[in-house]
């Protein structure tokens, strides 16, 4: 008995009844309740004294002694009952005090709410939460009020049940928050038990009483309440211990923030093994599982149970085949939402926390319905379209350009709800939420709301290189192709000979996506984008040259292409002459750009590997020049083909061809072309053009150093030209690179070629001119690599050796 009334009343009784302990006093109260029609209703004094002094014939004497102490009974009554009426009989006062004492120490919550303990089998199956449960217990003992948060699917509700079971907590009340109402309405879910064992629904004020100080109130799924500050402020006034379970961290007075840790991969693997009865030994398959699920405990468990069901109904020789099928279909949301083609996802099974069995898609939809039910319609539309890009990270800069009438407040709302994660200017949706939103909202490209996004994305892919301010989009564009492209109607009736305009636009969008991946050197993603294009039967438009275009593009990265590409171009020209209708609708621009980039890259690479006083141009260099000339000639011919080379790009490739053909281009001769290139609005080609010109300058200075007899009087030697012309331009190039977030692979290569060649020149000149300026520092190299598409492992490997090489 911890409340003051119980202590004071016990001390009062002990003055008259010697030898009674506090526990015996309370037990006597409990046993003294009179039973009326099977229910314990009230306390009688006779029964109390009989229980307090069993087998004592003098209890009447003690009873009179107690009742004669009217002064102390009245004082207790006025203090705790707060009723100054003088008409109340002394015996009634004492009985009321007994009842209040019992009420303040009796059962607090109805046992109907003590049903959240895990069953032994479920408790044993819970992996990796023992330390977390111990940590939460320590935090609860110390802080008493805690907000537990974590992303959907991390296992928060399951963890709470594990925590209750682990520590055998019984004095608690668990409610699932109804986010359509406020806190006070939700607290009316609580069912209390009065001192006579009767259940009733009380108010939140009861939780302020001291008798609840050791009890625990758990509020689960408290996601999107209307006035967060005031509602948590109300909870902070309660005497009871409180656990609030939500999706995101929110600071509140008196509450400690606790983020439920993600389970380790070993724990996730144990969950999968336990639920699937299959142990994954293939490391690649395991990585796919973790990548596609986003290491979500819920997704891991659902896939494991689905796999187990699938294995029971299939006769595959290899046990990994069904899992590979499931993961492949889960890679992009659209692949598993078609009930007709993907029956595997219709297997039903149970999952902790649900009242009925659901199939996997049902579970995923249920997550979305809980998460999005009370989201603002505008913010919900954001989720609807963002989920089409899968679970891949997107920069906020890109999202702001993508969504028409973009409102930053909508993303802030979604971030506040825990539906999207925003960190360092990047937005990411977990695989679980991405699948859930897609399954629930089922976005379609033909919906009018998507027209603005389509147009904005098309514009972005045509102009992104004008600023290079957006980080790499990873597989997000590929996810868009896989989620929506198959839903595009390509014809209206069987007799139609041309595709619908919307389908035609999507073909061109995929070509833009293909080029985006190619420009950044992600050739695998480029090939997957190209292979997704559908060529409808009996429809000729885009059916011949697209295939030719993508085939050539995907094979042109090999150096051997310069041996074959002239013939390929000649063949292409012959095909265009023979098929003018197809040629008029096909766009070869991106193939030609990639081919010309390869020519320039191979030319620079050949120069780096063949230098010196007696070095001569190789056949590869001549072939690269020849291919570049053929493509430029094709670009300037008046043919009815789509070869859209903007003026600045055409100038760049023409300049490259001119310099490649001129072996002795001095730095002075490059001054005017450099000024022209610096006026380019397209920052990608401004950097690329500057880097190529500096590469050619360094190449000339290196040659001049080895052939001093060719230095003309008054023109200055290689050291003077290096110091006065090359160094300032190199610094300007480095400043341009610093202003970029990401640069395409060919631009990266040309810059790297320029850096290497300038370093080679300085290395040679330093022998005679020790004080010559440094053209490229280790930091310059690091900045260039950090803005490339190269894998992090590759970049880290290079950066580790940079300092060693420069020292």
């Amino acid at each position: 008995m911890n409340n003051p009334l119980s202590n004071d009343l016990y001390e009062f009784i002990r003055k008259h009844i010697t030898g009674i302990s506090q526990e015996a006093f309370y037990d006597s109260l409990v046993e003294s309740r009179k039973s009326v029609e099977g229910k314990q209703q009230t306390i009688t004094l006779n029964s109390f004294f009989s229980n307090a002094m069993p087998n004592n014939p003098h209890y009447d004497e003690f009873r009179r002694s107690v009742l004669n102490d009217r002064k102390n009974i009245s004082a207790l009554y006025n203090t705790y009952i707060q009723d100054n009426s003088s008409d109340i009989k002394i015996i009634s006062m004492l009985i009321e005090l007994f009842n209040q004492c019992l009420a303040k120490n009796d059962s607090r919550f109805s046992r109907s709410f003590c049903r959240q303990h895990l069953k032994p089998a479920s408790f044993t199956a819970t992996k990796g939460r023992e330390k977390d449960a111990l940590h939460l217990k320590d935090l609860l003992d110390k802080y008493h009020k805690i907000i537990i948060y974590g992303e959907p699917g991390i296992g928060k509700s399951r963890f709470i049940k594990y925590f209750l079971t682990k520590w055998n907590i019984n004095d608690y009340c668990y409610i699932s928050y109804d986010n359509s109402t406020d806190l006070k309405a939700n607290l009316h879910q609580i069912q209390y038990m009065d001192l006579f064992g009767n259940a009733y629904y009380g108010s939140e004020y009861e939780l302020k009483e001291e008798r609840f100080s050791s009890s625990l109130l758990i509020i689960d799924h408290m996601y999107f309440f209307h006035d967060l500050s005031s509602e948590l402020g109300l909870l902070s006034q309660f005497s009871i211990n409180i656990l609030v379970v939500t999706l995101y961290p929110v600071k509140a007075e008196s509450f400690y923030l606790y983020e439920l840790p993600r389970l380790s991969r070993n724990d996730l693997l144990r969950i999968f093994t336990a639920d699937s009865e299959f142990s994954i030994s293939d490391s690649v398959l395991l990585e796919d599982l973790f990548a596609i699920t986003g290491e979500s405990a819920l997704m891991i468990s659902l896939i494991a149970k689905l796999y187990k069901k699938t294995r029971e109904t299939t006769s595959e020789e290899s046990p990994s085949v069904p899992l590979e099928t499931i993961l492949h279909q889960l890679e992009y949301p659209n692949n598993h939402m078609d009930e007709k083609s993907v029956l595997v996802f219709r297997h039903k099974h149970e999952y902790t926390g649900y009242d009925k069995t659901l199939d996997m898609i049902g579970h995923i939809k249920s997550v979305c319905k809980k998460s999005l039910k009370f989201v603002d319609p505008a913010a919900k539309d954001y989720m609807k379209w963002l989920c089409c890009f899968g679970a891949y990270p997107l920069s906020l800069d890109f999202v702001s350009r993508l969504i028409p009438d973009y409102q930053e407040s909508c993303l802030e709302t979604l971030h506040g709800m825990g539906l999207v994660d925003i960190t360092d200017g990047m937005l990411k949706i977990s695989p679980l939420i991405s699948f859930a939103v897609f399954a629930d909202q089922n976005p379609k490209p033909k919906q009018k709301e998507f027209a603005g996004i389509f147009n904005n994305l098309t514009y972005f892919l045509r102009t992104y290189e004008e600023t290079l301010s957006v980080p790499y989009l990873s597989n997000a564009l590929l996810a868009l192709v896989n989620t929506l492209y198959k839903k595009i109607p390509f014809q209206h009736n069987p007799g139609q000979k041309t595709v619908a305009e919307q389908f035609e636009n999507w073909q061109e969008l995929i070509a833009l996506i293909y080029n985006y991946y190619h420009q950044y050197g992600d050739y695998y993603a480029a090939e997957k984008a190209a292979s997704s294009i559908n060529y409808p039967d009996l429809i000729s438009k885009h059916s011949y040259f697209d295939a030719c275009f993508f085939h050539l593009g995907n094979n042109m990265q090999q150096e051997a292409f310069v041996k074959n590409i002239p013939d390929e171009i000649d063949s292409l020209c012959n095909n265009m002459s023979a098929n003018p209708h197809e040629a008029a609708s096909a766009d070869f621009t991106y193939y030609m750009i990639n081919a010309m980039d390869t020519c320039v890259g191979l030319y620079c690479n050949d120069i780096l590997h063949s230098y010196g006083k007696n070095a001569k141009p190789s056949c590869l260099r001549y072939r690269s020049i020849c291919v570049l000339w053929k493509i430029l000639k094709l670009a300037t011919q008046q043919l009815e083909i789509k070869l859209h080379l903007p003026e600045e790009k055409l100038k760049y490739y023409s300049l490259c061809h001119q310099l490649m053909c001129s072996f002795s281009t001095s730095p002075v001769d490059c001054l005017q072309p450099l000024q022209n290139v610096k006026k380019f609005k397209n920052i990608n080609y401004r950097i690329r053009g500057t880097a190529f010109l500096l590469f050619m300058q360094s190449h000339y200075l290196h040659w001049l150093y080895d052939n001093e007899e060719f230095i003309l009087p008054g023109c200055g030697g290689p050291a003077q030209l290096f110091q006065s012309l090359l160094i300032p331009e190199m610094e300007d190039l480095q400043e341009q690179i610093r202003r970029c977030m990401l640069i395409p692979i060919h631009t990266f290569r040309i810059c790297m070629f320029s850096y290497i060649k300038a370093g080679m020149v300085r290395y040679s000149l330093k022998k005679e001119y020790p004080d010559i300026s440094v053209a490229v520092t280790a930091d310059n190299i690091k900045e260039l690599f950090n803005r490339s598409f190269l894998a992090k492992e590759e970049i880290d490997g290079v950066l580790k050796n940079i300092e060693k090489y420069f020292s």
Side-chain angles (χ1 to χ4, degrees), residues 124-144:
T124 304
T126 302
K127 308 296 181 185
R129 289 303 186 196
E130 186 171 0
K131 290 183 179 179
D132 298 330
L134 175 61
H135 185 44
L136 179 60
K137 184 177 184 299
D138 292 340
L139 291 174
L140 192 61
D141 291 341
K142 182 177 181 180
Y143 296 104
H144 306 292

Side-chain angles (χ1 to χ4, degrees), residues 178-225:
D178 180 358
N179 291 278
S180 63
T181 61
D182 59 11
L183 177 63
K184 290 186 177 181
N186 273 278
L187 292 179
H188 280 295
Q189 294 181 47
I190 300 175
Q191 194 176 32
Y192 299 89
M193 188 81 73
D194 66 17
L195 71 161
F196 304 115
N198 301 317
Y200 68 97
Y201 292 96
S203 69
E204 73 274 9
Y205 298 108
E206 301 200 38
L207 298 177
K208 295 183 179 180
E209 296 181 10
E210 189 66 24
R211 61 190 169 106
F212 283 103
S213 60
S214 61
S215 303
L216 174 62
L217 173 63
I218 302 165
I219 306 178
D220 200 357
H221 308 123
M222 195 174 182
Y223 296 158
F224 316 124
F225 28 92

Side-chain angles (χ1 to χ4, degrees), residues 108-171:
R108 288 136 176 95
F109 298 120
S110 169
R111 293 192 63 80
S112 63
F113 277 86
C114 296
R115 297 175 180 170
Q116 300 306 318
H117 288 68
L118 289 177
K119 295 178 180 179
S122 297
F123 177 81
T124 304
T126 302
K127 308 296 181 185
R129 289 303 186 196
E130 186 171 0
K131 290 183 179 179
D132 298 330
L134 175 61
H135 185 44
L136 179 60
K137 184 177 184 299
D138 292 340
L139 291 174
L140 192 61
D141 291 341
K142 182 177 181 180
Y143 296 104
H144 306 292
K145 291 178 175 58
I146 299 174
I147 294 174
I148 301 175
Y149 68 96
E151 64 186 50
I154 201 173
K156 298 182 294 297
S157 297
R158 174 74 169 260
F159 170 66
I160 290 299
K161 296 173 185 179
Y162 180 87
F163 170 76
L164 294 172
T165 308
K166 175 70 177 177
W167 300 110
N168 196 26
I169 297 175
N170 292 305
D171 186 15

Side-chain angles (χ1 to χ4, degrees), residues 292 299 330 332-333 336-337 364 431-439:
I292 290 172
M299 288 290 288
L330 272 172
Y332 303 107
H336 64 268
M337 298 306 169
I364 290 175
L432 177 64
I433 292 298
S434 177
F435 296 150
V437 174
F438 198 94

Side-chain angles (χ1 to χ4, degrees), residues 604-622:
C604 295
N605 187 61
D606 183 70
I607 284 180
L608 288 180
H609 287 85
S610 57
Y611 66 91
K613 189 169 185 178
N614 299 316
K616 296 181 179 179
S618 69
C619 293
L620 178 63
R621 202 181 306 178
Y622 283 127

Side-chain angles (χ1 to χ4, degrees), residues 312-559:
E312 293 172 355
T313 57
T314 59
S315 58
E316 293 285 354
E317 293 183 4
S318 172
S320 63
V321 171
L323 180 57
E324 290 172 356
T325 302
I326 292 171
L327 295 179
H328 174 71
Q329 292 170 338
L330 272 172
E331 189 173 4
Y332 303 107
N334 186 58
N335 289 6
H336 64 268
M337 298 306 169
D338 184 356
E339 296 188 26
K340 296 180 181 179
S341 62
V342 190
L343 296 178
V344 66
F345 289 96
R346 301 300 140 190
H347 285 299
K348 293 188 176 182
H349 53 78
E350 295 181 0
Y351 185 77
T352 303
Y354 293 93
D355 297 329
K356 59 183 179 180
T357 58
L358 293 170
D359 59 32
M360 184 169 182
I361 305 304
H363 282 297
I364 290 175
K365 285 185 178 181
S366 70
V367 172
C368 178
K369 290 184 182 299
K370 288 181 181 179
S371 303
L372 290 181
K373 186 175 182 181
F374 305 103
V375 178
D376 178 81
K380 188 180 293 186
D381 282 341
Y382 278 40
M383 289 297 298
K384 178 179 180 180
W385 300 120
L386 288 174
C387 75
C388 296
F389 293 88
Y392 299 100
L394 301 171
S395 75
L396 294 181
D397 191 354
F398 173 73
V399 174
S400 67
R401 302 182 191 197
L402 178 73
I403 299 178
D405 303 321
Y406 171 73
Q407 300 178 38
E408 186 178 354
S409 59
C410 286
L411 287 187
E412 291 175 351
T413 298
L414 295 172
H415 176 60
M417 293 175 176
L419 293 174
V420 303
D421 178 46
I422 298 178
T423 307
D424 297 330
M426 298 297 291
L427 176 148
K428 194 174 188 304
I429 306 177
S430 71
L432 177 64
I433 292 298
S434 177
F435 296 150
V437 174
F438 198 94
D440 187 66
Q441 299 293 306
N442 191 24
K444 295 181 175 63
K446 63 182 180 181
Q447 290 170 309
K448 62 180 181 180
E449 295 95 333
F450 189 73
I453 294 176
F454 179 92
N455 293 335
N456 288 349
L457 178 59
T458 301
Y459 179 79
F460 168 81
L461 291 171
R462 286 176 176 163
T463 61
Y464 70 90
E465 61 184 358
E466 292 181 1
T467 61
L468 298 183
S469 61
V470 177
Y472 185 60
L473 295 178
S474 184
N475 281 356
L477 299 178
L478 203 56
L480 179 74
V481 173
N482 282 275
T483 54
L484 295 183
Y485 175 66
K486 294 178 182 178
K487 298 182 178 183
I488 300 293
F490 57 81
Q491 66 184 52
H492 299 295
N493 57 72
Q496 184 174 321
K497 297 301 182 184
T498 58
V499 294
E501 181 180 0
Q502 187 184 28
F503 184 79
E504 176 71 18
N505 291 337
W506 266 86
Q507 304 288 73
E508 294 184 2
L509 177 65
I510 294 178
L512 286 167
I513 291 173
Y514 165 87
N515 179 64
Y516 177 87
Y517 287 127
H518 235 302
Q519 281 294 298
Y520 282 118
D522 194 345
Y523 306 121
Y524 176 73
E527 186 172 1
K528 291 192 72 172
S531 63
S532 67
I533 282 195
N534 176 39
Y535 297 98
D537 295 336
L538 305 178
I539 295 181
S540 59
K541 196 171 186 181
H542 268 305
S543 62
Y544 176 77
F545 281 106
D546 267 1
C548 176
F549 156 61
F550 288 124
H551 169 73
L552 292 175
N554 289 333
N555 288 281
M556 69 184 182
Q557 296 308 313
Q558 305 170 9
E559 289 190 16

